[in-house]
Amino acid sequence: MTDSFYDDPSVFAAYERHRHSGVSSPNHVMEEPALWQHLGSVAGQRVADLGCGDASIGLALLDAGCASYYGVDASAAMVAAAGSTLRGRAAEIEHAEIEDFSFPPASFDLIISRLALHYVADVESVLRACGECLAPGGHLVFTVVHPVITSHDGRDDPGAARTSWLVDDYFSRGPRHRPWLGGTVTWQHRTIEDYVAAVVRAGFALEALSECPPQRSLFEGDAGEFARRLRTPLF
């Protein structure tokens, strides 16, 4: 359940600042370029987005030619932001839990999820629901916070930009509570092996796995920040 976390106005404001901070945002320089690399052409595709956030990716997908966009998010604040982002476009946004996602067969050609499935305890059930509503030849592309990050509770995080992370209790799966964006968030920790096994058990053929390395061209010449992002996988 993520609604109570992101519906805190101060947390939501901090998220928006963090998410759209350019070179300082690891989403911008690491996660998003890896996502687009694996999406390829989306022209004519019917897209679902689990944990759509403010739907900035939805706007980009529609501009890239996707036929329709459906986003779902548990946070009322995120749903309101997504509605504003996509006003007047071929899009639908629903306020609901990812765990309740269910559509008839062949409803979508592409399902994406950006940094949302690590909030879900029973990720395999969600993956199965995705497989059941994809058209033949359809694809699922998702990103999660890297397990070396979710393994640690973050209690000793320094205030300054960090250059390393403590990996602890890596093989102890389950919820981890940590300070983040001015609140306390709960992430489900699982290993890379766990994610791959869940994908395969849900009936998917795994085509690619990326650890989202930083893209030098996006750092606007900031060599120090690029070097810092080479140190630890985040996604």
Side-chain angles (χ1 to χ4, degrees):
M1 298 284 288
T2 61
D3 50 339
S4 59
F5 180 73
Y6 285 105
D7 286 339
D8 181 317
S10 62
V11 168
F12 181 80
Y15 166 84
E16 287 287 280
R17 290 193 301 270
H18 171 75
R19 175 65 185 82
H20 301 294
S21 58
V23 169
S24 297
S25 168
N27 304 78
H28 173 66
V29 297
M30 298 173 76
E31 182 261 351
E32 189 168 310
L35 180 85
W36 280 107
Q37 175 187 349
H38 293 289
L39 285 179
S41 173
V42 298
Q45 295 191 0
R46 300 163 297 165
V47 181
D49 184 0
L50 308 187
C52 65
D54 64 8
S56 56
I57 188 66
L59 188 62
L61 288 164
L62 288 162
D63 287 344
C66 77
S68 62
Y69 174 85
Y70 166 82
V72 58
D73 204 286
S75 164
M78 290 294 186
V79 167
S84 178
T85 299
L86 298 176
R87 186 172 291 116
R89 305 299 297 266
E92 177 186 356
I93 305 298
E94 183 177 4
H95 183 203
E97 296 289 335
I98 292 174
E99 292 89 335
D100 297 330
F101 178 72
S102 178
F103 276 83
S107 293
F108 300 103
D109 306 298
L110 170 66
I111 297 175
I112 67 170
S113 183
R114 297 184 65 190
L115 303 176
L117 294 184
H118 53 273
Y119 291 101
V120 175
D122 185 4
V123 72
E124 189 171 331
S125 292
V126 173
L127 296 177
R128 288 188 182 277
C130 291
E132 289 168 359
C133 66
L134 277 169
H139 285 81
L140 167 68
V141 182
F142 69 89
T143 59
V144 291
V145 171
H146 199 289
V148 303
I149 307 302
T150 59
S151 70
H152 177 47
D153 63 18
R155 283 176 292 182
D156 63 350
D157 284 359
R162 62 183 306 138
T163 57
S164 61
W165 292 83
L166 174 67
V167 177
D168 196 15
D169 290 330
Y170 186 79
F171 291 105
S172 297
R173 284 82 166 175
R176 304 289 178 94
H177 312 290
R178 60 177 299 128
W180 194 52
L181 300 177
T184 299
V185 70
T186 300
W187 290 339
Q188 299 293 329
H189 172 65
R190 51 182 68 92
T191 67
I192 292 178
E193 179 182 347
D194 294 333
Y195 279 112
V196 171
V199 166
V200 173
R201 285 195 300 263
F204 287 93
L206 181 64
E207 294 185 350
L209 172 64
S210 171
E211 292 183 284
C212 308
Q215 302 299 304
R216 183 189 292 270
S217 62
L218 299 176
F219 281 81
E220 300 177 3
D222 190 337
E225 183 67 1
F226 175 68
R228 185 171 79 92
R229 291 303 185 193
L230 286 172
R231 295 180 64 92
T232 305
L234 301 185
F235 310 109

